[in-house]
């Protein structure tokens, strides 16, 4: 039996709990770790507690989950710079070999453009303009994903995704400077004006950044959007992206 003295002793030995205020960033990290059903149950209450719109919370949580997936995949291993070839390379021969390999796996109208863009990813920082590579088709199963798979094998620091949130997009580019390979863009890009604006911003080096408020004090922070990007989708790109492709 536990008596009153035992209870008093337990109370005396208990460690006092010091209340701490959770920052918005910490809250997003905590919520991103929840299972989908649990997050759905608490998202409205958490948005009200943080004093932000529900759509803003959803966007930040989705971005954090995307970043967590990359972190879990040992990002430094698959985004390392390629080893330089030990002997001089003749550029024309390299482009011819790339074009021949592309024709072997893809039926497309411009294998030479794809070969040039692959070489461009390896010399990206030598340029002031960064054209998108648009991989489009009129119907499904035309080889878009096959093309992106080829690009992943040949491009510099490739980072492939079939979907990406706005928050994850500029954070991924700023942190890792990858060649971003976006598949299935027709499922999320057409109605997302903010996503198109961020992608557009990466076209000219002098304007390749976005500004977001971060941290507890909402400090304005610059995120780079300067990286090579390929976008695959069914149909046509929005006009502003097409003109940059």
């Amino acid at each position: 039996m536990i008596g009153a003295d035992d209870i008093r002793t337990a109370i005396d030995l208990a460690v006092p709990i010091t209340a701490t205020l959770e920052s918005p960033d910490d809250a997003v990290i905590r919520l991103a770790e929840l299972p989908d059903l649990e997050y759905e149950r608490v998202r409205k209450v958490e948005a009200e507690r943080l004093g932000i719109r529900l759509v803003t919370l959803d966007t930040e949580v989705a971005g954090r989950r995307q970043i967590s997936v990359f972190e879990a995949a040992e990002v430094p291993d698959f985004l390392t710079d390629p080893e330089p070839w030990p002997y001089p390379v003749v550029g024309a021969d390299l482009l011819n070999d790339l074009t021949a390999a592309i024709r072997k796996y893809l039926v497309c109208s411009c294998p030479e453009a794809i070969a040039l863009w692959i070489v461009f990813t390896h010399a990206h920082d030598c340029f002031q303009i960064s054209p998108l590579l648009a991989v489009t088709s009129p119907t499904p199963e035309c080889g878009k994903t096959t093309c992106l798979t080829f690009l992943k094998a040949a491009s510099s620091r490739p980072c492939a995704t079939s979907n990406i949130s706005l928050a994850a997009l500029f954070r991924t580019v700023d942190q890792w400077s990858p060649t971003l390979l976006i598949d299935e863009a027709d499922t999320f890009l057409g109605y997302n004006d903010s996503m198109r604006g961020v992608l557009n911003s990466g076209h000219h080096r002098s304007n390749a950044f976005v500004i977001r408020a971060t941290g507890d004090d909402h400090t304005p922070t610059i995120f780079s959007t300067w990286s090579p990007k390929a976008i695959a989708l069914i149909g046509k790109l929005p006009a502003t992206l097409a003109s940059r492709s």
Side-chain angles (χ1 to χ4, degrees):
M1 295 292 292
I2 299 177
D5 292 338
D6 296 320
I7 295 175
R8 291 191 188 95
T9 300
I11 292 174
D12 292 337
L13 294 175
V15 177
I17 298 176
T18 303
T20 58
L21 294 177
E22 184 181 45
S23 71
D25 286 344
D26 289 339
V28 168
I29 293 173
R30 172 176 57 80
L31 293 170
E33 294 174 351
L34 295 177
D36 288 343
L37 291 178
E38 180 64 16
Y39 174 67
E40 181 65 27
R41 188 179 67 82
V42 303
R43 55 195 281 270
K44 291 183 179 179
V45 174
E46 291 287 350
E48 291 177 359
R49 183 180 69 82
L50 294 170
I52 60 176
R53 294 183 302 159
L54 185 58
V55 66
T56 301
L57 179 62
D58 288 343
T59 299
E60 291 298 321
V61 168
R64 181 63 220 179
R65 284 175 169 173
Q66 187 78 36
I67 291 171
S68 296
V69 168
F70 285 136
E71 290 173 346
E74 296 183 353
V75 170
D77 289 342
F78 77 84
L79 283 176
T80 54
D81 292 322
E83 288 283 337
W85 196 248
Y87 308 107
V89 174
V90 178
D93 292 343
L94 173 62
L95 288 168
N96 287 336
D97 290 344
L98 275 172
T99 302
I102 292 166
R103 286 199 176 103
K104 181 178 180 179
Y105 295 104
L106 296 169
V107 177
C108 61
S109 59
C110 50
E112 294 86 359
I114 297 174
L116 284 167
W117 191 84
I118 289 171
V119 174
F120 163 73
T121 69
H122 292 270
H124 184 256
D125 282 341
C126 297
F127 295 89
Q128 295 300 313
I129 299 293
S130 180
L132 297 169
L133 180 65
V135 184
T136 64
S137 71
T139 63
E141 300 181 0
C142 286
K144 298 182 303 300
T145 301
T146 302
C147 181
L148 261 63
T149 301
F150 189 96
L151 294 175
K152 184 178 180 181
S155 299
S156 174
R157 299 171 62 84
C159 179
T161 177
S162 294
N163 194 300
I164 190 168
S165 71
L166 174 61
L169 174 63
F170 58 79
R171 286 179 170 87
T172 296
V173 172
D174 183 80
Q175 183 170 343
W176 298 320
S177 300
T179 294
L180 199 58
L181 308 173
I182 304 175
D183 202 359
E184 309 290 345
D186 50 287
T187 63
F188 67 93
L189 183 57
Y191 56 83
N192 194 327
D193 293 340
S194 297
M195 178 76 75
R196 295 202 303 272
V198 170
L199 290 170
N200 286 339
S201 72
H203 181 63
H204 197 291
R205 188 169 189 166
S206 63
N207 299 321
F209 60 87
V210 295
I211 301 175
R212 293 292 186 272
T214 60
D216 295 341
D217 55 355
H218 306 290
T219 303
T221 303
I222 294 176
F223 292 89
S224 172
T225 56
W226 178 249
S227 76
K229 303 175 189 70
I231 303 176
L233 76 164
I234 299 171
K236 296 181 179 180
L237 277 173
T240 55
L241 288 174
S243 68
R244 292 168 168 82
S245 302

